[in-house]
């Protein structure tokens, strides 16, 4: 009688105050049957890793529109690793130039979803990635 | 990638203060994983130390903000705090958005605090079915205080009163007139009433209405005590009570009035221990929990005893008005238990 749910942390690191995209994703993942922990604006890398650990999530979704992604994301990945959360799936959304994507992928980001991404694609990506043997 | 640890390892790690192991164990308990029962059985001797405080109230009254402020104040006194925050699961998708952490960012970076969000997963009493077990895990892990925040509750989500030692009901101005205050339900379970957002207009009306309700309630409680049977059995002992429910005004966003709530929590705890009521509550809590677990276990066995086709056929007959629901249930129970408790169909 186990009742497993996909748990996702949606966080907005950094200082920009635009959280509409993050809320749209949170709602879409909820409608796909996932449990979404929404942490709100202005989260530090430390706060994100701590929340991911306490909530024991499978996925961390980061929304960044400030352009600070190349500074913030490596620190978040480092904090997640330090917390022993290196098996968590890290997804990034927001305004991320194409040129930066390979570097982010190399550091451990599983996927980058830009503006206009169909939310069904994100749901499918998460389900596929978590169904893979490593999960 | 991370190997799934055996429960024995996990339990030792949880008792040793490993937060990652604690989070993992909570997930297994929440998912009703097969090895979670064993883990809970082994943690049971380590429980019973924490003060369990429930915080409930209508959506938007400021429960999360109050929990944040209370936890900060408790930390300043040096007490460790576990928080379980429950939000509703969508009945349509089974998913949930758990947003209570948004109000709890003041607690980030403090190793003496552990916050866990839970979805209600179909339970209707304001908590999830596994909330009690998660509270037990936090208790065993050594948190001195466990704060349980219910879903935004209306008039009948009173499960928290059976789980917590002290129940705080949060109200806010402008949510209803004084007739709301005399209705049955959530206000009756309060050990402490908090009127939050008292910087809003109408706050004094809310405070007055609640105080008036409490005065009426006290007389009724006494009448119930002597007249007997006015209250349903499971909460009976809660009503036989010499505690006077305080009404406390707060502005949780500004931490105003929080010291008063803390003082009331201390007074209530002293009252529970001084009068011996803590033992009554514990007995009652265990009884309610055993009944809930029995119900769950018996239902599972009963459903397993019947072919799904039999159930579908029974549903069809009730829809077709060949059978009424009560007789259908009697027949299903009798067929599964073979105890002849139902009259012949």
């Amino acid at each position: 009688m186990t009742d497993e749910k996909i748990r996702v942390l949606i966080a907005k690191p950094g200082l920009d105050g635009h959280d509409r995209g993050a809320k749209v994703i949170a709602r879409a993942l909820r409608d796909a049957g996932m449990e979404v922990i929404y942490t709100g604006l202005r989260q530090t890398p430390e706060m994100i890793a701590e929340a991911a650990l306490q909530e024991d999530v499978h996925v961390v979704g980061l929304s960044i529109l400030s352009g600070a992604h190349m500074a913030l994301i490596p620190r978040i990945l480092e904090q997640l690793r330090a917390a022993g959360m290196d098996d968590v799936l890290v997804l990034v959304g927001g305004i991320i130039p194409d040129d930066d994507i390979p570097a982010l992928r190399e550091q451990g980001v599983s996927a980058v979803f830009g503006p206009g991404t169909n939310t069904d694609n994100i749901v499918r990506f998460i389900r596929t990635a978590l169904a893979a043997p490593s999960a | 990638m991370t190997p799934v640890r055996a429960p024995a390892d996990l339990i030792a790690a949880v008792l040793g203060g490993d937060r990652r192991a604690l989070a993992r164990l909570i997930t297994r308990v929440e998912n009703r994983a097969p090895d979670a029962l064993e883990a809970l059985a082994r943690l049971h001797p380590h429980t019973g130390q924490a003060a369990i405080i429930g915080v409930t109230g209508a959506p938007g009254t400021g429960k999360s903000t109050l929990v944040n402020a209370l936890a900060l104040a408790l930390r300043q006194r040096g007490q460790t705090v576990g928080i379980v925050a429950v939000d509703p699961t969508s009945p349509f998708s089974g998913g949930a958005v758990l947003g209570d952490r948004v109000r709890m960012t003041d607690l980030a970076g403090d190793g003496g605090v552990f916050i866990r969000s839970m979805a209600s997963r179909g339970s209707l009493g304001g908590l999830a079915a596994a909330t009690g077990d998660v509270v037990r895990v936090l208790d065993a892990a050594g948190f001195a205080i466990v704060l349980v925040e219910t879903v935004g509750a209306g008039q009948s989500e009173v499960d928290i009163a059976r789980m917590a030692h002290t129940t705080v009901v949060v109200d806010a101005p402008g949510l209803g007139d004084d007739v709301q205050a005399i209705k049955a339900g959530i206000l009756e379970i309060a050990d402490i009433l908090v009127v939050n957002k008292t910087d809003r207009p109408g706050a004094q009306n809310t405070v007055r209405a609640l105080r008036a309700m409490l005065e009426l309630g006290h007389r009724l409680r006494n009448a119930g005590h002597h007249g007997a049977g006015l209250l349903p059995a499971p909460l009976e002992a809660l009503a036989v009570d010499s505690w006077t429910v305080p009404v406390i005004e707060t502005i949780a966003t500004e931490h105003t009035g929080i010291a008063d709530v803390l003082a009331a929590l201390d007074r209530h705890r002293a009252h529970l221990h001084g009068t011996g009521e803590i033992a009554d509550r514990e007995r009652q809590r265990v009884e309610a929990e055993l009944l809930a677990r029995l119900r769950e276990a018996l239902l599972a066995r009963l459903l397993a005893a019947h072919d799904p086709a039999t159930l579908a056929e029974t549903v069809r007959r009730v829809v077709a008005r060949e059978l009424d629901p009560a007789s259908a249930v009697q027949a299903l129970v009798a067929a599964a238990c073979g105890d002849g408790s139902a009259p012949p169909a």
Side-chain angles (χ1 to χ4, degrees):
Chain A
M1 276 222 318
T2 65
D3 179 21
E4 288 194 33
K5 296 272 183 187
I6 296 176
R7 287 171 68 87
V8 184
L9 186 84
I10 297 288
K12 273 204 56 66
L15 298 176
D16 77 88
H18 307 282
D19 60 353
R20 190 165 177 280
K23 284 177 175 156
V24 168
I25 300 300
R27 173 71 198 265
L29 299 182
R30 182 201 86 176
D31 289 344
M34 300 179 193
E35 290 182 352
V36 182
I37 295 98
Y38 187 77
T39 61
L41 297 170
R42 287 180 273 281
Q43 300 284 298
T44 65
E46 290 76 11
M47 288 160 90
I48 291 167
E50 182 184 42
L53 178 137
Q54 292 179 356
E55 301 289 355
D56 195 23
V57 292
H58 304 91
V59 183
V60 173
L62 305 168
S63 167
I64 307 181
L65 293 94
S66 64
H69 50 276
M70 295 310 280
L72 288 167
I73 288 171
R75 284 179 47 209
I76 293 166
L77 293 167
E78 189 185 309
Q79 291 290 329
L80 284 170
R81 272 193 293 272
M85 299 287 292
D86 39 4
D87 54 344
V88 77
L89 199 66
V90 178
L91 309 178
V92 177
I95 310 294
I96 310 291
D98 288 347
D99 289 351
D100 291 342
I101 293 176
L104 291 174
R105 295 287 311 263
E106 202 169 300
Q107 291 174 40
V109 170
S110 297
V112 176
F113 297 103
T117 305
N118 187 330
T119 53
D120 291 343
N121 290 345
I122 302 176
V123 169
R124 209 173 306 120
F125 181 89
I126 291 173
R127 288 203 176 122
T128 309
L130 293 181
S134 68
Chain B
M1 264 180 277
T2 309
V4 176
R5 287 199 266 183
D9 277 6
L10 212 50
I11 291 161
V14 167
L15 294 174
D18 180 339
R19 293 161 73 83
R20 173 86 165 126
L22 175 58
R24 283 258 151 124
L25 184 61
I26 289 175
T27 302
R28 303 181 81 72
V29 164
E30 193 179 16
N31 289 342
R32 304 280 168 115
D35 59 13
L37 274 182
E38 187 201 328
L40 286 166
R42 298 185 41 182
L43 286 178
H44 189 70
H46 300 275
T47 61
Q49 302 305 311
I52 301 165
I53 298 168
V55 178
T56 187
T61 48
K63 291 182 296 298
S64 303
T65 311
L66 185 73
V67 165
N68 174 66
L70 277 175
L72 263 185
L74 289 163
R75 288 299 296 138
Q76 278 161 11
R77 298 206 305 204
Q79 289 175 293
T80 53
V81 184
I83 298 173
V84 183
V86 189
D87 266 331
T89 291
S90 159
F92 301 107
S93 72
V97 173
L98 313 174
D100 292 322
R101 293 189 85 100
V102 172
R103 313 271 175 240
M104 300 183 189
T105 51
D106 288 344
L107 305 169
D110 181 348
V113 177
F114 192 98
I115 308 171
R116 182 65 174 232
S117 311
M118 281 186 93
S120 62
R121 297 195 182 178
S123 274
L124 296 177
L127 301 172
T131 301
D133 288 338
V134 171
V135 168
R136 204 154 316 152
V137 173
L138 289 169
D139 182 352
F143 290 95
I145 312 277
V146 180
L147 294 170
V148 183
E149 180 187 339
T150 72
V151 303
Q155 296 169 322
S156 56
E157 292 88 345
V158 297
D159 284 358
I160 187 66
R162 294 193 178 91
M163 178 183 303
H165 297 127
T166 304
T167 302
V168 179
V169 175
V170 189
D171 205 345
L175 290 181
D177 60 14
D178 50 357
V179 179
Q180 296 298 337
I182 60 172
K183 286 185 183 174
I186 194 168
L187 289 173
E188 286 181 293
I189 64 170
D191 298 308
I192 296 169
L193 272 168
V194 168
V195 178
N196 191 31
K197 307 189 185 185
T198 49
D199 49 343
R200 297 270 182 95
Q204 287 313 310
N205 291 339
T206 303
V207 171
R208 255 197 309 276
L210 291 176
R211 291 217 166 102
M213 179 275 297
L214 288 171
E215 278 163 31
L216 290 173
H218 262 278
R219 280 196 288 275
L220 252 187
R221 280 182 178 204
N222 290 336
H225 185 25
H226 298 297
L230 276 182
L231 288 151
L235 283 174
E236 190 177 15
L238 294 187
V240 185
D241 190 346
S242 57
W243 171 254
T244 305
V245 178
V247 179
I248 299 172
E249 301 175 31
T250 61
I251 309 168
T253 49
E254 295 171 12
H255 301 265
T256 305
I258 300 306
D260 298 336
V261 180
L262 217 54
L265 287 169
D266 289 342
R267 273 204 312 280
H268 189 251
R269 189 164 172 76
H271 166 84
L272 289 178
H273 286 273
T275 58
E277 199 194 318
I278 189 94
D280 285 346
R281 289 212 180 196
E282 181 68 4
R283 192 181 38 72
Q284 220 166 51
R285 191 185 60 70
V286 169
E287 185 182 316
E289 186 187 343
L290 290 184
L291 286 175
R293 282 184 191 273
L294 257 177
R295 213 173 289 134
E296 198 178 320
L298 286 177
L299 180 64
R301 277 185 68 170
L302 213 123
L303 290 176
H306 284 290
D307 186 347
T310 313
L311 279 178
E313 171 60 13
T314 307
V315 170
R316 190 200 61 74
R317 289 182 62 201
V318 174
V319 172
R321 301 298 187 274
E322 295 167 21
L323 193 63
D324 70 282
S327 305
V329 165
Q330 280 195 326
L332 286 172
V333 171
C337 304
D339 62 2
S341 66

